[in-house]
Amino acid sequence: MRSEHRRQPNHLRLTVWKEGVSLAADICRLTRHFPRQVQFGLGLQMQRSAISVPSNIAEGAARGSEKELLRFLKISRGSLMELDTQIRIASEIELFDQPETLLERIRVQNAKLNALIQTQKAKLL
């Protein structure tokens, strides 16, 4: 077996992907406790947005092209901003208190995604 086949997939080495997986898992755990009337609406949408963040990073990394990675990183960032909005809505309708910790994680994740996007843009110049 050639060594390139034994290497870890690119996305598994990315901190932004690892943190995205962690955030998605936490959102899934949090929304599991939402009341039934919002669990399958807002709760499910929060899960989808959160899961979309690392999923798009992984898909972009697997495409094998800098341009495709950039495109999927931007999609991931959009999903992250959807999640930010959904957390704010959930807090407004009092589904949980003190969203600051989650919002700070999203802010940091967004900054890391933006940095990676800028790096990818520079590679394409």
Side-chain angles (χ1 to χ4, degrees), residues 15-29 50 54 102 105 109:
T15 301
V16 71
W17 175 82
K18 292 174 188 174
E19 291 173 0
V21 168
S22 175
L23 180 60
D26 288 346
I27 292 297
C28 288
R29 281 189 283 276
L102 286 173
R105 286 175 69 188
Q109 181 82 347

Side-chain angles (χ1 to χ4, degrees), residues 3-18:
S3 64
E4 64 186 295
H5 293 293
R6 287 180 279 183
R7 280 192 277 171
Q8 191 178 39
N10 290 338
H11 68 281
L12 297 178
R13 294 186 290 244
L14 294 172
T15 301
V16 71
W17 175 82
K18 292 174 188 174

Side-chain angles (χ1 to χ4, degrees), residues 36-112:
R36 288 190 76 67
Q37 64 267 30
V38 294
Q39 198 171 40
F40 298 107
L42 181 58
L44 188 56
Q45 187 59 42
M46 287 174 69
Q47 291 174 16
R48 286 181 177 156
S49 295
I51 291 167
S52 180
V53 174
S55 297
N56 278 296
I57 294 167
E59 184 171 355
R63 294 286 176 126
S65 122
E66 302 294 338
K67 188 175 181 181
E68 283 292 294
L69 176 56
L70 177 60
R71 184 168 79 87
F72 279 91
L73 289 172
K74 288 179 178 179
I75 293 168
S76 180
R77 182 176 58 187
S79 295
L80 188 64
M81 291 301 97
E82 285 180 26
L83 179 60
D84 177 276
T85 299
Q86 294 153 0
I87 288 170
R88 293 172 192 277
I89 292 168
S91 178
E92 283 290 318
I93 61 174
E94 300 174 349
L95 292 175
F96 61 91
D97 293 331
Q98 302 175 339
E100 294 83 13
T101 301
L102 286 173
L103 293 173
E104 177 61 16
R105 286 175 69 188
I106 287 172
R107 187 194 65 72
V108 170
Q109 181 82 347
N110 189 50
K112 289 180 181 180

